[in-house]
Amino acid sequence: MKTQIHQRDNGNILVCALCTIVIVSLIGANVLVNCITHYNVTAKQLKGWKEALYAAEAGGDAGFDEVRKALNPLSLPFTTDGWAAAPSPAPTPGPAWTKTISGFGQEGNLSTTVTIDKLFDTTGTIPSSTPYYRIRAVGTARLFGLPRVGLSDQFIAGGPNFVANSASRGVGDTLLRKIDFKYDHFKASYGDGDGHNLSLSTVTFPQITRRIELVAVPKYFVFGGAMRVVNLFDGPGSAGFLDSYNSKNPTNPNPGSPQVVNNNIPGPNTTSYYGSNPSNSTYLADAHDGDVSVGAKNFAEGGPIWGDVTTNGGNVTHSGYQISGTIDNNVPFTIPPLAAPDTTGYTVTTGGNISPTGTSSSSPSTYVYSSFPSNVTITNGNASSSTFPYAYAKIMVNGDVTGKITLEKGVTAEIWFTGNMKVKAGDLDNQNVDRGTKTANPGSLGVPPLIPPTPADDPNPSRVGHLKFFGISPTISGATQTIEIDPPGNIFATFYAPSADIAVTGNTDIFSAIVGRSFSGNGNNGFHYDKALNQVDIGVVTDYQVVSYIEDIR
């Protein structure tokens, strides 16, 4: 009997299994490679998308920093350090400046191009002579690697995608992610952003761009305290005092005879000009804001100070001084230089009398003197108007200010000067009145009677705010400016002179607010700050601030 032997086919099954595993592994590996590739591409694009915004914001910061230099007359903004005039036509009526910063970020893959447009307000919100700025920054992030197949960049000059229409600007991921592989999609559709210079511009490397726009407007100085000096304070007079009042308080009579203060409010027990009733808490609340700020350690007190005191490195204490408010000896600050106004279009005059008809502080009547006459009278050219009986003047003096200045009621005048000032207090004859009180209470200081409101009441609430002096800083000669005020008489005016040493002698009372290099007072002169001045800007730009930030998502 024969036995049949069957051959096993296990070997064939093993081969088939191995082949299947190899094929599945190859498929899996291919899928994994593709996933990793696309993941890496996506990760790089996401990284580039974020970095492009960082680059744009860096450009915006650089532009804003340049705008802030415009406050300093010693700095020539937009013309140095790589800035140049924007190509014609400028993105706006101009002028405009541009700068490109490149080679920063990881592997130097980031760049930014900034354009600054200088603009002027035509709505009256900002004085027509003061510029504001639009800052536009383009941030570019280079994408490393080759363009991926399928990410189309279909731009053809004159073709269906070459239009200022976001619905047909590129296709696929180009449109979705704003990636430029061959051409700059923004320039092809929008040119410079305002529709100028549309062009088919190639890009050197694949890139992502993002754009931001900032609007920077001026910040105007207001007198937030009685005195702000950068170098030295020595005052008030040993027999005087420094305090405050509020001309807008409708129940507060205009400052009159000094009243003896006997109350439980912490501070010096002395006299103060705050009204006729020392027991009235309404008046007392307005008496304690005669604040003094010194940007150095040099502080000396003559008479009492009703307000806060700050120094930069001083050793002022309550035990050693008569100060009613808080004391802080660690408050540094600076005051920016004050450039002379552009006198193009000003009326050149040499006479003693002018009659301005300007209707606002942003559109005053303007005058320029090569030398100031010994007697100047500024009359109200709008006095006969039934709708707006007030006038505004801006005067530029290329030299010293001396002699008598008479300012008629209803006129607000700014007097800018490049030289020194030396006058008697009584020669600064400000005939305006405070708006707040409508009944006369002249007291013993010769304050004119107050007038009833008119149909178009004076928009300037403070008599003090009607007469403003501005000392140009730095002076043409480079020497320290001086402002000397001697007796007799009293003063109702403000002084903003960053480089001036200001000295007041005798028994003069100063109803004012002062910014200067230093202040000194002797005798029994007193200083009285009108709190209404903290709501009246004096037309001096001290900084710029960003009021608008948007991303241009086109």
Side-chain angles (χ1 to χ4, degrees):
M1 182 175 176
K2 295 182 178 180
T3 303
Q4 187 175 5
I5 300 176
H6 295 280
Q7 294 182 347
R8 297 180 179 274
D9 55 1
N10 292 345
N12 293 332
I13 295 174
L14 181 59
V15 171
C16 291
L18 289 174
C19 289
T20 302
I21 291 173
V22 170
I23 293 171
V24 171
S25 298
L26 289 173
I27 294 173
N30 186 61
V31 171
L32 182 60
V33 169
N34 284 332
C35 288
I36 292 175
T37 301
H38 284 285
Y39 173 79
N40 288 336
V41 170
T42 301
K44 288 180 180 179
Q45 291 174 357
L46 179 60
K47 179 174 179 286
W49 174 256
K50 292 182 177 180
E51 288 183 336
L53 180 60
Y54 300 155
E57 290 177 335
D61 290 343
F64 181 57
D65 186 57
E66 195 72 13
V67 163
R68 297 183 71 189
K69 293 180 184 177
L71 297 173
N72 189 344
L74 299 179
S75 172
L76 298 177
F78 321 136
T79 58
T80 59
D81 194 25
W83 292 90
S88 181
T92 64
W97 301 266
T98 187
K99 179 180 180 179
T100 297
I101 306 170
S102 58
F104 61 97
Q106 184 179 12
E107 299 184 52
N109 66 317
L110 302 181
S111 64
T112 182
T113 298
V114 192
T115 302
I116 300 175
D117 304 316
K118 186 176 183 179
L119 306 170
F120 292 91
D121 187 17
T122 58
T123 65
T125 304
I126 301 173
S128 58
S129 60
T130 302
Y132 68 100
Y133 298 92
R134 179 176 69 167
I135 304 166
R136 292 185 293 179
V138 182
T140 302
R142 176 185 170 185
L143 290 180
F144 294 97
L146 297 174
R148 302 299 300 170
V149 175
L151 299 185
S152 177
D153 199 31
Q154 297 179 11
F155 276 113
I156 302 174
N161 296 313
F162 191 68
V163 293
N165 180 353
S166 61
S168 60
R169 187 193 66 233
V171 295
D173 279 359
T174 299
L175 175 61
L176 177 64
R177 304 182 187 179
K178 301 180 177 62
I179 302 174
D180 301 324
F181 289 109
K182 296 181 180 179
Y183 306 105
D184 188 319
H185 75 272
F186 194 89
K187 290 182 179 179
S189 298
Y190 307 106
D192 58 14
D194 290 336
H196 301 143
N197 300 325
L198 273 69
S199 63
L200 195 62
S201 300
T202 59
V203 296
T204 305
F205 303 102
Q207 65 182 29
I208 291 178
T209 58
R210 295 179 73 174
R211 290 165 166 80
I212 63 169
E213 176 179 304
L214 312 176
V215 175
V217 302
K219 290 176 63 177
Y220 292 94
F221 181 85
V222 295
F223 288 107
M227 195 85 61
R228 191 172 180 86
V229 292
V230 295
N231 186 55
L232 176 146
F233 174 84
D234 183 5
S238 58
F241 52 89
L242 193 155
D243 67 351
S244 61
Y245 66 100
N246 191 348
S247 62
K248 290 185 68 175
N249 188 338
T251 61
N252 187 4
N254 212 55
S257 300
Q259 306 295 323
V260 177
V261 178
N262 292 298
N263 55 75
N264 294 323
I265 298 177
N269 184 20
T270 182
T271 56
S272 179
Y273 290 84
Y274 57 80
S276 60
N277 186 352
S279 65
N280 190 318
S281 61
T282 300
Y283 306 147
L284 290 174
D286 286 335
H288 289 258
D289 290 293
D291 301 339
V292 176
S293 299
V294 187
K297 64 181 181 179
N298 307 312
F299 177 89
E301 178 201 69
I305 296 176
W306 287 68
D308 302 333
V309 170
T310 66
T311 71
N312 181 20
N315 58 0
V316 184
T317 63
H318 278 107
S319 61
Y321 300 86
Q322 299 180 81
I323 298 170
S324 70
T326 61
I327 298 172
D328 191 337
N329 289 306
N330 189 29
V331 184
F333 67 87
T334 59
I335 301 174
L338 182 65
D342 182 0
T343 57
T344 302
Y346 280 35
T347 300
V348 179
T349 181
T350 56
N353 300 327
I354 56 176
S355 185
T357 57
T359 56
S360 71
S361 58
S362 60
S363 57
S365 298
T366 53
Y367 306 88
V368 60
Y369 287 88
S370 57
S371 61
F372 211 48
S374 57
N375 291 286
V376 174
T377 299
I378 307 174
T379 62
N380 186 352
N382 296 329
S384 60
S385 173
S386 60
T387 57
F388 195 83
Y390 304 99
Y392 293 80
K394 186 171 185 176
I395 301 166
M396 179 64 200
V397 180
N398 291 312
D400 297 337
V401 174
T402 57
K404 184 172 183 177
I405 299 173
T406 302
L407 185 72
E408 274 196 358
K409 185 170 63 180
V411 181
T412 297
E414 298 180 7
I415 300 177
W416 299 61
F417 57 101
T418 61
N420 300 319
M421 181 175 180
K422 184 174 176 59
V423 295
K424 290 182 171 60
D427 285 343
L428 302 182
D429 184 10
N430 179 358
Q431 298 178 357
N432 286 283
V433 295
D434 291 326
R435 187 180 70 183
T437 308
K438 305 305 178 185
T439 57
N441 183 19
S444 64
L445 294 179
V447 178
L450 303 177
I451 57 174
T454 63
D457 202 3
D458 189 345
N460 189 338
S462 171
R463 175 186 182 187
V464 175
H466 279 273
L467 183 56
K468 310 172 188 178
F469 290 96
F470 296 92
I472 302 304
S473 166
T475 59
I476 296 175
S477 65
T480 299
Q481 198 172 47
T482 59
I483 297 176
E484 300 179 39
I485 301 174
D486 301 320
N490 301 303
I491 295 173
F492 292 83
T494 64
F495 297 85
Y496 187 98
S499 296
D501 290 336
I502 302 169
V504 182
T505 59
N507 61 349
T508 298
D509 272 284
I510 314 163
F511 297 85
S512 180
I514 283 178
V515 170
R517 181 177 180 272
S518 69
F519 173 83
S520 62
N522 63 17
N524 64 341
N525 64 64
F527 194 100
H528 318 290
Y529 165 63
D530 185 356
K531 292 171 62 176
L533 292 173
N534 67 6
Q535 300 178 28
V536 180
D537 75 66
I538 63 172
V540 172
V541 178
T542 57
D543 204 349
Y544 276 82
Q545 61 182 351
V546 175
V547 295
S548 174
Y549 172 102
I550 62 171
E551 181 177 0
D552 188 344
I553 60 174
R554 292 179 294 175

